[in-house]
């Protein structure tokens, strides 16, 4: 009983029927993957996971790990004791000394008796523990609706106490819904798109099209930084850096000026599709939102979709820029995304881009560019980086 304990609340997984075991196994695996520096043991009791770690496990790392693991709706550093009243009272005192409530304000005891054979009801246990709190913090008053402090007590196989519960990201464990390839630019949107897709269980690898020297080394570093920031949510991610300068120069030379963006996007899709096939990924994920910029009209999107057989998912399609920005801030990518290194040099952007292309016409134009050779060359020269579930760059294990 001298190891460090975290209580973990599962969300939607607990509603899963026949597949529940699979989801749960994956969640445990994803949690352990992030905490591989310590011995981690996970026990399961109805709707809860109990994570036991070595006493020297670093709280900050554990909290970062749990708050970025999809499938978790909440978690708390918890303390366990035997199932008798004296043990509960003395453990409550110990917990409150370690995690003291303030000198003023309000509190609540949130007791839950899951084991109905325990002699005190939830209410009786709350009353008893309220006395303990009163003794330690005489100035605090009870407020059942909006307390400043809460002591949680759960009576199950053992008894678990905790004060400070934190929100998890919700969703479903990554790698329960197949793999997707994210088109990751240096902007605000695509990292958010990755998180949205991963939240529903998709395992995400990322692709960045790099047009050196038109896009700088700093732009690449920025994308690598973004990949490292989203990697914890993704349970680790590969970043494929595709050298795309020659492909873009070919497009610039051969296509109609106003169609260059469209042609560029079509060639990105074709390239991503090839990498996706190699990686057995079933979807391409982009950060496009409807009508945000010229290339994000329904006509432009139907054209780019028509250039690939792979499913294209746009998780941000119905989000306002403000909502996207607020999510980017929550996940910690915003500050990096707004660094000034542009992901696409102005020389490749037409002054008056076509916004409502005719799909068939543009398809013909794209095919006339004969991009296959350039695409194969770009893929052959692609460099792959790997960011582990803690966001650290690691050499790639194949
Ligand atoms: P973002 O903020 O994600 O850069 P954006 O609003 O700037 O998006 P665009 O530049 O039109 O919009 O890009 C739309 C989407 O296309 C991006 O969200 C991303 O998924 C993909 N994309 C654009 N440029 C690149 C690139 N150089 N490498 C990989 N993907 C890209
Ligand atoms: Mg962009």
């Amino acid at each position: 009983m001298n190891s460090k304990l975290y209580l973990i609340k599962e969300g939607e997984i607990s509603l899963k029927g026949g597949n529940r075991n699979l989801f749960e196994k994956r969640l445990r695996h994803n949690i352990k993957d992030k905490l591989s520096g310590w011995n981690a043991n996970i026990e399961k009791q109805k709707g809860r996971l109990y994570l036991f770690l070595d006493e020297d496990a670093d709280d900050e790392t554990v909290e970062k790990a749990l708050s970025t693991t999809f499938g978790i709706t909440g978690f708390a550093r918890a303390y366990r004791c035997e199932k008798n009243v004296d043990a509960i009272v003395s453990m409550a005192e110990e917990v409150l000394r370690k995690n003291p409530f303030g000198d003023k304000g309000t509190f609540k005891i949130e007791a839950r008796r899951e084991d109905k054979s325990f002699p005190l009801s939830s209410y009786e246990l709350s009353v008893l523990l309220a006395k303990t709190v009163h003794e330690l913090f005489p100035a605090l008053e009870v407020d059942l609706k909006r307390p400043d402090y809460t002591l949680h007590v759960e009576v199950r196989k053992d008894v678990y106490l905790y004060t400070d519960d934190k929100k998890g990201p919700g969703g479903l464990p990554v790698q329960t819904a197949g793999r997707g390839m994210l088109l990751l630019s240096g902007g605000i949107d695509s990292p958010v798109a990755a998180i949205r897709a991963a939240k529903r269980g998709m395992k995400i690898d990322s692709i960045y099209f790099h047009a050196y020297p038109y896009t700088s080394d700093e732009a690449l570093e920025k994308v690598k930084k973004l990949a490292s920031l989203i990697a914890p949510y993704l349970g680790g991610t590969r970043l494929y850096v595709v050298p795309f300068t020659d492909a873009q120069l070919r497009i610039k030379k051969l296509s109609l000026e106003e169609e260059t963006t469209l042609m560029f996007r079509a060639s990105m899709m074709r390239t991503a599709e090839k990498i996706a096939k190699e990686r057995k990924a079933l979807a391409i994920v982009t950060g496009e939102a409807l009508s945000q910029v010229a290339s994000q009209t329904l006509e432009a999107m139907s054209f780019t979709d028509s250039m690939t057989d792979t499913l294209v998912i746009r998780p941000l399609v119905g989000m306002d820029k403000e909502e996207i920005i607020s999510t980017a801030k929550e996940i910690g990518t915003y500050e990096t995304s707004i660094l000034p290194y542009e992901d696409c040099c102005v020389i490749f952007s037409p002054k008056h881009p076509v916004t409502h292309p005719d799909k068939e016409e543009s398809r013909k134009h794209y095919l006339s560019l004969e991009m296959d050779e350039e695409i194969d060359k770009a893929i052959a020269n692609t460099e792959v980086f790997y960011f582990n579930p803690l966001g650290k760059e690691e050499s790639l294990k194949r």
Side-chain angles (χ1 to χ4, degrees):
M1 285 214 178
N2 55 1
S3 54
K4 212 170 220 184
L5 168 63
Y6 284 85
L7 174 151
I8 294 170
K9 298 177 187 174
E10 294 174 328
E12 203 175 320
I13 297 182
S14 54
L15 305 176
K16 292 276 167 210
N19 286 334
R20 184 165 146 183
N21 275 347
L22 269 178
F23 282 88
E24 233 163 59
K25 217 170 133 191
R26 178 47 64 185
L27 177 59
R28 286 167 186 239
H29 180 95
N30 291 352
I31 294 170
K32 283 188 174 180
D33 234 15
K34 291 187 179 170
L35 300 171
S36 56
W38 300 289
N39 287 308
N41 222 323
I42 299 178
E43 276 177 23
K44 155 93 194 156
Q45 282 178 48
K46 212 168 128 214
R48 297 273 186 270
L49 294 178
Y50 297 95
L51 166 68
F52 295 90
L53 286 167
D54 297 336
E55 199 58 56
D56 67 346
D58 168 53
D59 291 328
E60 207 181 308
T61 310
V62 179
E63 283 179 19
K64 170 93 198 283
L66 298 180
S67 62
T68 55
T69 302
F70 288 119
I72 294 177
T73 53
F75 63 93
R77 172 86 167 89
Y79 302 84
R80 176 166 73 159
C81 71
E82 283 174 22
K83 210 169 8 183
N84 68 64
V85 173
D86 290 345
I88 297 173
V89 171
S90 78
M91 184 52 94
E93 284 174 9
E94 197 181 320
V95 171
L96 290 166
R97 278 201 196 93
K98 280 189 187 139
N99 308 277
F101 289 171
D103 292 336
K104 53 178 195 287
T106 56
F107 79 96
K108 175 186 182 183
I109 309 291
E110 183 78 59
R112 247 173 97 164
R113 183 180 62 160
E114 289 281 328
D115 173 4
K116 300 295 177 214
S117 71
F118 186 71
L120 298 191
S121 68
S122 302
Y123 175 75
E124 288 163 338
L125 192 55
S126 298
V127 172
L128 182 74
L129 291 174
K131 278 193 200 132
T132 310
V133 175
H134 265 311
E135 277 160 25
L136 290 171
F137 309 98
L140 295 193
E141 285 177 20
V142 173
D143 180 346
L144 300 182
K145 284 206 179 107
R146 299 175 127 259
D148 300 317
Y149 309 100
T150 305
L151 172 65
H152 299 262
V153 186
E154 297 188 358
V155 181
R156 293 168 172 248
K157 201 169 96 205
D158 297 298
V159 180
Y160 303 88
L161 295 96
Y162 57 98
T163 52
D164 191 15
D165 54 338
K166 300 197 161 63
K167 249 176 101 91
L172 294 168
V174 293
Q175 217 152 316
T176 53
R179 187 182 300 279
M181 301 303 298
L182 167 76
L183 301 191
L184 177 63
S185 68
I188 297 169
D189 303 331
S190 38
V192 175
I195 299 310
R196 285 282 166 134
K199 185 167 186 174
R200 298 306 298 168
M202 217 189 283
K203 178 74 188 161
I204 299 274
D205 282 324
S206 313
I207 303 177
Y208 169 58
F209 294 93
H210 191 37
Y212 186 81
Y214 302 102
T215 48
S216 60
D217 281 336
E218 284 94 335
L220 171 59
E221 284 311 310
K222 176 179 164 182
V223 170
K224 285 176 73 178
K225 172 82 185 165
L226 288 172
S228 81
L229 291 171
I230 59 177
Y233 288 96
L234 310 182
T237 189
R238 284 186 181 192
L239 172 64
Y240 291 76
V241 177
V242 182
F244 225 46
T245 316
D246 290 348
Q248 277 185 275
L249 288 172
R250 184 176 175 87
I251 290 169
K252 171 130 179 86
K253 189 166 120 201
L254 299 180
S255 72
L256 298 170
E257 206 231 326
E258 61 273 24
E259 273 192 339
T260 44
T261 305
L262 278 178
M263 299 297 126
F264 176 36
R265 298 197 66 76
S267 61
M268 290 203 308
M269 288 296 181
R270 302 276 261 209
T271 311
E273 169 170 58
K274 287 196 168 180
I275 298 175
K277 287 210 166 115
E278 217 173 87
R279 198 62 184 126
K280 298 195 169 53
L282 297 177
I284 295 171
V285 178
T286 83
E288 291 163 292
L290 191 56
S291 306
Q292 201 187 75
V293 292
S295 64
Q296 297 173 9
T297 60
L298 286 183
E299 289 89 342
M301 290 186 199
S302 358
F303 161 65
T304 42
D305 277 14
S306 78
M307 299 311 301
T308 170
D309 292 332
T310 307
L311 171 68
V312 180
I313 293 185
R314 299 178 171 88
L316 310 188
V317 84
M319 281 173 87
D320 293 342
K321 194 76 188 182
E322 271 180 29
E323 294 171 85
I324 298 170
I325 287 175
S326 100
T327 312
K329 286 182 177 164
E330 261 168 50
I331 61 174
T333 52
Y334 181 73
E335 295 302 325
T336 304
S337 288
I338 58 172
L339 292 173
Y341 319 111
E342 276 307 314
D343 65 332
C344 194
C345 182
V346 275
I347 71 149
F348 294 117
S349 305
K351 277 199 198 71
H352 303 289
V354 179
T355 50
H356 303 283
D358 178 291
K359 187 157 86 184
E360 287 314 318
E361 279 302 303
S362 296
R363 275 177 67 84
K364 273 189 220 146
H365 294 169
Y366 178 80
L367 295 173
S368 74
L369 300 177
E370 299 184 338
M371 293 300 296
D372 288 356
E373 212 172 294
E374 283 301 349
I375 287 177
D376 288 342
K377 194 180 85 188
I379 291 176
N381 291 311
T382 290
E383 213 180 333
V384 191
F385 299 88
Y386 176 68
F387 298 89
N388 75 15
L390 293 174
K392 296 210 172 63
E393 189 177 344
E394 251 178 28
S395 57
L396 190 67
K397 291 176 221 134
R398 289 217 174 244

